[in-house]
Amino acid sequence: MVIDCHCHAGQGPDFDGPWDSAPLDAYARRAAAAGIRHTVLLPVFHSDYAVANRQVGRIVADRPERYSGFAMVHPRRDAGRIHALLAEATGRWGLRGIKVHRHDARITREVCGAARTFRLPVLYDVMGEVATVELFATAYPDVDFIIPHLGSFADDWSAQLALVDHLVRHPNVHADTSGVRRFDLLLRALERAGPEKLLFGSDGPWLHPGVELAKVKALALQPADEAKITGGNLLRLLGPPIRAAGSRHALHHRPVPVGRGHTR
């Protein structure tokens, strides 16, 4: 099953740019045509992430066979209530990970500690600030981190190249493929870190999921290795079951007891 680990959904309160609104109609058609059967939804930027998380939660509740969701938090503005936000997001809406963006604020120990408590992976957009991966990856070795865009949506090849070293050295650091324009850097990451460390993501609905998936297909991997990148690695990180669109059967993985830490 092909799973897109990185697609936005919902609507923010502002008009700062196209990233404030993420309708899914066109994305859903394009994803279906590309053979993508399940998608992880991330909130758009918002002044209140409790509201944004509920938007994603409602979409997931309506189409659980098609969508899963991550909760988004603002490390500084939400300081002191991260645990409460995630308790609602996981307990009421069944969201299964955390999204943090450095455009809001840098990731904090409170966020990482909550990820450990709820046993959630963290998708953190470092915006090219790759060196900090060393700090949080080593401080929280039992938390899985996904760094989107191989470290830089802005096509900062030096940051993306540096992230490959972190993928090699840290078992809990992964990267997604969304928006990576320099194909040879994807090849470098694959050759050095292996297919277990990469996850297919599209950054939809703004990038075309079929185009982004074609980059993974162009890696010309063995079927088993391609399957890891296009869904298997994400399922391993998420744990609980995902039900495939059009299937009567859920894909089951390790149970995740909420509220307890975990070790590998």
Side-chain angles (χ1 to χ4, degrees), residues 88-248:
E88 177 184 346
T90 58
R92 181 175 180 183
W93 299 109
L95 302 187
R96 304 167 65 188
I98 305 170
K99 166 71 185 295
V100 178
H101 204 296
R102 191 169 71 82
H103 173 79
D104 286 333
R106 291 177 175 86
I107 198 168
T108 61
R109 293 182 184 275
E110 182 182 7
V111 173
C112 295
R116 170 185 283 167
T117 296
F118 287 96
R119 296 186 63 180
L120 300 174
V122 180
L123 192 149
Y124 175 37
D125 192 332
V126 299
M127 295 180 63
E129 193 176 78
V130 171
T132 59
V133 174
E134 183 72 21
L135 304 178
F136 56 76
T138 54
Y140 293 87
D142 51 350
V143 175
D144 288 308
F145 296 95
I146 304 167
I147 311 300
H149 320 306
L150 200 61
S152 173
F153 185 74
D155 198 28
D156 182 346
W157 69 270
S158 62
Q160 293 171 325
L161 190 63
L163 184 68
V164 174
D165 290 331
H166 293 288
L167 295 178
V168 172
R169 292 188 297 106
H170 299 295
N172 59 329
V173 175
H174 310 77
D176 84 27
T177 63
S178 64
V180 178
R181 291 178 279 284
R182 296 181 186 270
F183 184 75
D184 285 343
L185 284 174
L186 280 180
L187 281 173
R188 176 75 65 90
L190 177 66
E191 291 165 357
R192 292 197 57 210
E196 296 81 10
K197 303 306 289 290
L198 296 176
L199 288 75
F200 160 62
S202 73
D203 205 11
W206 307 308
L207 300 188
H208 194 300
V211 173
E212 294 299 303
L213 182 58
K215 294 189 303 187
V216 176
K217 298 287 187 180
L219 294 170
L221 299 169
Q222 293 296 319
D225 288 338
E226 182 177 297
K228 292 175 183 178
I229 296 174
T230 58
N233 293 336
L234 178 68
L235 290 172
R236 173 171 51 84
L237 298 183
L238 289 184
I242 282 180
R243 187 178 297 277
S247 171
R248 296 176 299 165

